[in-house]
Amino acid sequence: TKIMSKTASKILVPIGFSDQSMIALGQAMNLAKLKNSEVVLLSVVEERHSMFDLLISNDDEISQLKKKVMDKLNEIASEYSEKYGVEVETMVAKGSVYEKVCEVAEMVNADLIVMGTNGSPKGITKKFIGSNTEKVVRSAKCPVITIKGKNHKDGCDNIILPLDLEKETREKVTYAIEYARYWDATIRIVSVVLRDNNKIRNHLQRNLEQVHEFITNAGVNCSSELLEGEKKRSLSYVVLEYEKNYESDIIMIMTKKEESLSDSLSVTARSIIFNSEIPVMCIHPKKRKHLGSTIGF
């Protein structure tokens, strides 16, 4: 096996042994091949908190469980590594899933996390807010691709890029270009006018044109569309409906800066993550010293 340099790109895949995490792993392996990345598989043995568990649970049992999980993980790693020709590392951690995922991502310097989500649990919103997927998306410092649906093809033909008037547009566009090049995909930019407001419409239109030009100049195929949203429809609804026109493969959204401080994602981000049948890539804005006029659009 070849020795990977410390600077090699790494994709972290949390594995809970569900069908969904295995689908996520397949997608991560495809991407790792294109990006020339190493894949790190992480399983988290969750700490239990009930009194009964505390009484019977001893270190011996925990280490046996960790060993079982590690054996299973190593089995998956060697099977997938051989199949895709990609280096795969394995790790087992004990603790809370989302904390460990974010911790390990930083520790191995991952540039991407790919994880399965089973969509929003029905009923109790509280559970839904506390879901590991949402917490990872909110807390991770690198982009996170969440995968919900069952049918995913290898690679990607269309990247849906919803744009609003946020300052971090440039960062999201840069990622879209990078991934469009890996996949030889078309970027489909979309903005939505929810209110009949000419000033906003003109601003969005200018923004779309600038971004379209920027992507085209970078040598990537691109289309752009300004959609009229109906009053009772949310932004996420319009984006998810639009996506169906293209048999798209991924939606790229930005989580806002202030979201890391609040307890949940914006309604639009959350709604897209949990309702999209295609993968969603969430990009967390980097902390910048100053967002000056260098943004460009």
Side-chain angles (χ1 to χ4, degrees), residues 6 18 23 26 29 37 60 114 121-122 131 162 170 203 233 249 269 277 285:
K6 285 281 174 239
S18 64
I23 290 170
M29 297 301 282
S37 307
D60 214 31
V114 181
K122 308 262 180 295
S131 78
R170 183 63 167 265
H203 199 155
R233 298 203 166 153
D249 308 297
E277 287 300 316

Side-chain angles (χ1 to χ4, degrees), residues 184-201:
D184 196 15
T186 298
I187 297 173
R188 311 258 175 209
I189 323 168
V190 58
S191 279
V192 182
V193 182
L194 284 176
R195 288 178 301 283
D196 196 20
N197 181 326
N198 269 339
K199 195 176 166 196
I200 290 180
R201 179 183 281 104

Side-chain angles (χ1 to χ4, degrees), residues 35-255:
K35 272 167 64 80
N36 198 16
S37 307
E38 188 177 301
V39 171
V40 180
L41 304 186
L42 169 68
S43 277
V44 181
V45 176
E46 287 194 78
E47 284 169 334
R48 299 163 177 175
H49 292 298
S50 84
M51 208 50 218
F52 180 69
D53 282 333
L54 288 175
L55 293 172
I56 61 153
S57 175
N58 56 41
D59 290 346
D60 214 31
E61 282 175 25
I62 295 285
S63 59
Q64 277 179 338
L65 181 58
K66 278 177 90 168
K67 188 188 178 308
K68 268 188 193 155
V69 172
M70 196 53 155
D71 290 347
K72 178 101 176 102
L73 213 51
N74 285 335
E75 209 176 285
I76 292 169
S78 60
E79 179 196 328
Y80 276 76
S81 177
E82 205 169 300
K83 184 177 168 187
Y84 289 89
V86 167
E87 292 276 317
V88 182
E89 279 182 44
T90 54
M91 294 176 86
V92 176
K94 176 173 164 271
S96 106
V97 175
Y98 91 91
E99 281 176 6
K100 290 296 164 192
V101 170
C102 294
E103 221 173 84
V104 170
E106 275 193 70
M107 188 172 87
V108 302
N109 206 9
D111 50 26
L112 183 66
I113 296 170
V114 181
M115 67 189 294
T117 171
N118 296 325
S120 59
K122 308 262 180 295
I124 311 163
T125 318
K126 259 200 177 122
K127 260 191 187 162
F128 165 35
I129 291 170
S131 78
N132 286 314
T133 308
E134 176 157 353
K135 285 180 172 169
V136 169
V137 167
R138 209 173 67 229
S139 313
K141 292 194 167 56
C142 64
V144 180
I145 293 180
T146 56
I147 294 182
K148 180 187 156 223
K150 288 275 183 277
N151 305 312
H152 300 289
K153 63 169 188 273
D154 295 351
C156 170
D157 294 325
N158 292 290
I159 295 170
I160 299 285
L161 196 66
L163 285 191
D164 55 19
L165 299 170
E166 67 212 0
K167 284 193 174 69
E168 290 87 12
T169 298
R170 183 63 167 265
E171 206 173 328
K172 181 160 75 168
V173 172
T174 306
Y175 274 112
I177 289 171
E178 179 191 343
Y179 282 82
R181 285 180 176 146
Y182 293 138
W183 286 311
D184 196 15
T186 298
I187 297 173
R188 311 258 175 209
I189 323 168
V190 58
S191 279
V192 182
V193 182
L194 284 176
R195 288 178 301 283
D196 196 20
N197 181 326
N198 269 339
K199 195 176 166 196
I200 290 180
R201 179 183 281 104
N202 294 338
H203 199 155
L204 283 168
Q205 188 63 51
R206 270 202 314 278
N207 207 25
L208 269 185
E209 284 163 11
Q210 284 181 315
V211 175
H212 191 135
E213 192 183 344
F214 183 81
I215 292 172
T216 309
N217 287 344
V220 170
N221 283 336
C222 181
S223 77
S224 58
E225 216 166 318
L226 185 62
L227 301 178
E228 302 289 330
E230 290 170 35
K231 284 203 171 61
K232 287 189 176 128
R233 298 203 166 153
S234 65
L235 186 60
S236 57
Y237 177 87
V238 180
V239 169
L240 292 169
E241 280 300 298
Y242 173 78
E243 170 270 302
K244 295 190 174 82
N245 301 338
Y246 291 104
E247 291 196 352
S248 310
D249 308 297
I250 197 162
I251 300 173
M252 287 193 181
I253 61 175
M254 201 100 192
T255 60

Side-chain angles (χ1 to χ4, degrees), residues 6-19:
K6 285 281 174 239
T7 53
S9 158
K10 285 195 167 76
I11 301 175
L12 178 64
V13 187
I15 298 280
F17 305 110
S18 64
D19 290 352

